Amino acid sequence: MKRLLLCFLLLTAVQLVHAQYYKTDTTRKKEFDASRLIIGGSLGLAFGDYTNINISPMVGYRISQLFAAGLAINAQYGSERFRDYYGNTGQRNQYSIFGGGVWGRVYPMDFLFIHIQPEYNHINLKSTYYDTDPKTVVKDSYGVSSLLMGGGYTQPIGGNAAFSIMALYDVLQDSKSPYQNGLILRVGATIGL
């Protein structure tokens, strides 16, 4: 009997905490609230035989304690150099990517989120082959769709700012996707207004 009473009290306490956590202010009018705006993104830099400069701003709105959604822009420049056994450049690829899409997040806990981001990118590619005489240049331009899915962790860093890290994977795996067969790790910051 004591165990049954203890289980009942524990379940009641959990339900009260759960209700308090997701409780919203019902006295407030349903209108735009600037404090729920999210502005942020990520910046990536890599230099060497593989060079990548990535600027990915995002803007969104915290719809509720559980949901947020918004728009993302993806702008990248990159180059990769392939060398032969003697260290001579045999091929160099240069590309620029511009695109974006929408994103959505579900926060099962304040610090964990599930992220989904369908996006469309336009890619310009220039490949230079140095092992031919004269060197050969091939250019290509195309668009490609991606569906990034994954999750992440967010940590407040004071005021309305937060640091986040997430791991994403392109589930469509188009052969021309810039996210082929790899885990995408993004580190960024968001600022609420």
Side-chain angles (χ1 to χ4, degrees):
M1 183 68 173
K2 287 182 181 179
R3 286 185 186 176
L4 184 61
L5 184 59
L6 182 61
C7 285
F8 176 76
L9 289 174
L10 184 60
L11 286 173
T12 304
V14 168
Q15 289 298 322
L16 288 173
V17 169
H18 184 272
Q20 182 181 13
Y21 178 76
Y22 292 108
K23 188 175 181 181
T24 57
D25 185 4
T26 56
T27 61
R28 219 174 153 165
K29 293 180 182 177
K30 296 201 180 222
E31 58 187 42
F32 179 77
D33 182 0
S35 68
R36 292 177 172 253
L37 258 175
I38 301 167
I39 298 174
S42 59
L43 174 68
L45 299 170
F47 297 101
D49 280 349
Y50 176 76
T51 298
N52 182 272
I53 301 168
N54 178 1
I55 301 171
S56 299
M58 62 180 257
V59 64
Y61 191 75
R62 190 75 181 248
I63 300 164
S64 69
Q65 189 70 20
L66 285 174
F67 301 104
L71 301 172
I73 296 174
N74 183 24
Q76 295 184 45
Y77 166 80
S79 75
E80 52 189 349
R81 185 182 309 260
F82 300 97
R83 298 180 185 270
D84 63 15
Y85 180 76
Y86 301 104
N88 300 319
T89 301
Q91 178 183 346
R92 182 175 181 206
N93 297 331
Q94 294 175 290
Y95 60 88
S96 62
I97 300 172
F98 187 75
V102 296
W103 58 268
R105 287 184 183 168
V106 176
Y107 291 85
M109 295 184 206
D110 278 346
F111 58 91
L112 293 176
F113 59 87
I114 299 166
H115 185 93
I116 184 167
Q117 181 174 329
E119 67 179 31
Y120 183 82
N121 290 300
H122 183 77
I123 301 171
N124 289 311
L125 176 65
K126 176 183 170 187
S127 297
T128 306
Y129 300 91
Y130 295 95
D131 53 0
T132 61
D133 190 23
K135 69 180 178 183
T136 306
V137 175
V138 177
K139 294 182 180 182
D140 197 5
S141 181
Y142 52 89
V144 64
S145 297
S146 300
L147 178 58
L148 306 177
M149 297 178 76
Y153 170 80
T154 186
Q155 175 67 44
I157 52 177
N160 289 336
F163 163 82
S164 64
I165 184 168
M166 67 178 150
L168 302 171
Y169 185 77
D170 182 5
V171 297
L172 297 182
Q173 287 299 302
D174 187 297
S175 62
K176 293 186 174 188
S177 171
Y179 310 113
Q180 291 179 18
N181 293 323
L183 198 59
I184 305 151
L185 296 176
R186 291 189 177 166
V187 176
T190 56
I191 300 171
L193 299 178

